[in-house]
């Protein structure tokens, strides 16, 4: 592919100069049927006992489907982020490690904390704007049931293996 032509020569130059002995990189190729495919190239320089380059050994693996899946996932994540961001209700989400992965505009307005300040934060940082301190809150019951946390919420109980909300 024209945009990737300089990748292999750069590796060759660095290998001959002794900067690197092996590398793994991605580049595009034109398939014989005319479409573009992605290849992951693993390449090493083989030298003689004096350290002089003899030849290169390379392996190219077609990673087109992996690249396409990664692009589709990224697009899907962007759509989801846009949906969350434009919800009218203050909304945030945490991952299984308790780190903030979404913080929408409505919660920014409500708390004064911008998404850039909150994304990636853990250690109950998301509780500070609402409670003034780091502490487990209702969302934490979804990750792990804790009867002490549940007691602070009047209408939460555990039924079977689920955390449930009940009417007052």
């Amino acid at each position: 592919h024209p945009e990737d032509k300089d990748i292999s020569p750069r590796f060759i130059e660095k290998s001959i100069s002794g900067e690197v002995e092996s590398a793994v990189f991605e580049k595009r190729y034109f398939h014989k049927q005319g479409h573009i495919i992605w290849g992951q190239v693993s390449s090493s320089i083989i030298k003689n006992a004096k350290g002089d380059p003899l030849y290169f050994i390379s392996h190219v693996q077609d990673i087109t489907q992996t690249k396409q899946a990664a692009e589709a996932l990224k697009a899907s994540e962007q759509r989801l982020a846009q949906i969350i961001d434009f919800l009218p209700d203050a909304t945030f989400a945490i991952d299984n490690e308790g780190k903030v992965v979404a913080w929408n505009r409505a919660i920014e307005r409500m708390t004064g904390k911008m998404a850039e300040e909150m994304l990636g934060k853990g250690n109950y940082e998301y509780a500070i704007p609402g409670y003034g301190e780091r502490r487990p809150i209702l969302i934490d019951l979804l990750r792990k049931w804790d009867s002490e946390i549940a007691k602070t919420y009047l209408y939460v109980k555990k039924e079977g293996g689920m955390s449930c909300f009940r009417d007052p």
Side-chain angles (χ1 to χ4, degrees):
H1 190 276
E3 294 176 30
D4 297 339
K5 281 184 180 179
D6 64 334
I7 295 174
S8 296
R10 277 187 297 178
F11 167 69
I12 293 168
E13 289 170 19
K14 288 181 177 186
S15 299
I16 292 172
S17 72
E19 253 182 270
V20 296
E21 290 189 12
S22 63
V24 176
F25 50 91
E26 297 174 356
K27 62 186 284 187
R28 291 165 287 188
Y29 294 91
F30 285 109
H31 190 276
K32 64 183 177 184
Q33 294 174 345
H35 60 277
I36 295 171
I37 62 169
W38 278 93
Q40 181 181 52
V41 182
S42 302
S43 196
S44 298
I45 188 169
I46 307 301
K47 299 178 180 181
N48 64 17
K50 294 189 290 184
D52 298 324
L54 295 175
Y55 56 90
F56 290 94
I57 185 164
S58 297
H59 175 280
V60 180
Q61 180 177 354
D62 184 348
I63 59 166
T64 306
Q65 289 182 338
T66 303
K67 293 288 268 188
Q68 290 169 342
E71 288 174 19
L73 178 60
K74 184 178 177 181
S76 176
E77 288 172 341
Q78 287 173 340
R79 281 191 304 275
L80 178 59
Q82 288 171 341
I83 290 168
I84 290 171
D85 200 36
F86 287 101
L87 289 173
D89 297 323
T91 304
F92 74 98
I94 59 173
D95 65 13
N96 287 333
E97 284 77 47
K99 292 186 179 174
V100 177
V101 294
W103 191 267
N104 76 355
R105 292 178 189 192
I107 202 164
E108 284 180 340
R109 286 189 298 275
M110 184 178 92
T111 65
K113 291 284 190 177
M114 302 305 289
E116 296 80 28
E117 298 174 72
M118 297 305 296
L119 292 174
K121 300 284 178 148
N123 193 24
Y124 305 114
E125 184 89 12
Y126 45 83
I128 295 173
Y131 294 93
E133 63 182 343
R134 283 184 172 89
R135 71 178 201 78
I137 61 174
L138 187 60
I139 195 170
D140 293 297
L141 290 175
L142 297 174
R143 292 188 318 120
K144 181 181 174 216
W145 179 260
D146 184 316
S147 56
E148 292 303 310
I149 298 171
K151 286 179 189 175
T152 63
Y153 297 95
L154 297 176
Y155 305 110
V156 176
K157 66 177 184 170
K158 187 167 181 163
E159 289 182 358
M162 296 178 60
S163 301
C164 303
F165 298 99
R166 60 187 158 115
D167 292 331

